Amino acid sequence: MTAFTATVTVRLKRGVLDPEAETTQRSLERLGFDLNDLRSADVFELDLDADSADDAAERAEEMAERLLANPTIHDYDIEVTEAE
Amino acid sequence: MARVTIAVIQFGGSNCDRDAVQALGSLGFDAELVWHEDGLPADVDGVVLPGGFSYGDYLRAGAMAARSPIMAEVREAASEGTPVLGICNGAQIGCESSLTPGAFTTNESARFQCEHVYLRVENADTPWTSQYEEGDVVELPIAHGEGRYEISDDRLDELEAEDRILFRYCDEDGTVSPEANPNGSKHSVAGVTGDAEHVAVMMPHPERATLSDLGRTDGRGVLTGFAD
């Protein structure tokens, strides 16, 4: 078994309104920053032992499907690295 | 009316559970609080998923409660015909647990909103709305930060074609418009039914508009649905 970190990033699907991101963007603009758009995302870092990176990714995907993301409004992606 | 026993499920952070018991009791139902860890009693005739902030709304409102073991029992009871009504946080739990389609997420205003709203009855042919006529306007309170109904356009088309929208936000005259939509819900949807009409969720609070001592009683008709 090898120690991996699976990073699951959960984002709202394109087209789904994100009022918190809009408020954050307005706040940045009030501070004088110039930007075209702002998207927010939740990042989950999962430390787990697995036989391979694929195995770790598969388990992280199941966790995303079952709890971390809501398929009605979210997309997600998974990145697996060997833990340091 | 024969005694109808309704389980009002308490999760950590539920806070409208007692209101629901009181409101149901005033209508002649035998309502009982059921702690989620105790499991669903075998002899219940109905289930209420009450409002509140289960698990602090961590991750997403309703996400944690939806995965608690009692919800598997609620889904099974629902599939066998037991009426289930999710109110506010209970509506979020209902959608998170796939009892009902779609999702309730952050209000368009990004604020918590506590106010009275008007709702137009869209389908009066369900247990929850049979006390009203289609097009009736009822006034109920809302109190939520994550009440904006989201669903894909295709899926919403299907729900509308199947007449599964219970209520839409409207103005006092029953006109549905962006101005009368308090939270940015898609097509102003305030409540929907599950695959079968005896399962329903809604963000407004019928149990807070049931006791005449507290003012209007427009919500009675919804809770009366448990008698059907």
Side-chain angles (χ1 to χ4, degrees), chain B residues 172-183:
Chain B
E172 195 171 358
D173 301 321
T175 304
V176 174
S177 68
E179 294 73 37
N181 183 349
N183 53 25

Side-chain angles (χ1 to χ4, degrees), chain B residues 197-210:
Chain B
E197 64 188 21
H198 65 272
V199 177
V201 297
M202 58 191 292
M203 287 308 296
H205 286 274
E207 84 286 13
R208 294 192 191 177
T210 294

Side-chain angles (χ1 to χ4, degrees), chain B residues 44-108:
Chain B
V44 297
D45 306 304
V47 174
V48 170
L49 304 171
F53 297 88
S54 57
Y55 303 90
D57 282 350
Y58 290 172
L59 194 63
R60 300 176 299 274
M64 301 295 170
R67 275 95 183 156
S68 69
I70 197 169
M71 285 307 298
E73 296 178 64
V74 171
R75 280 194 297 274
E76 190 178 336
S79 72
E80 290 166 359
T82 302
V84 177
L85 177 64
I87 302 167
C88 196
N89 188 224
Q92 296 159 337
I93 295 167
C95 282
E96 277 282 342
S97 64
S98 302
L99 273 169
T100 46
F104 292 101
T105 186
T106 313
N107 292 349
E108 190 174 19

Side-chain angles (χ1 to χ4, degrees), chain B residues 161-172:
Chain B
E162 292 164 6
D163 228 356
R164 286 169 59 179
I165 312 302
L166 284 179
F167 298 105
R168 284 185 219 272
Y169 299 105
C170 65
D171 66 16
E172 195 171 358

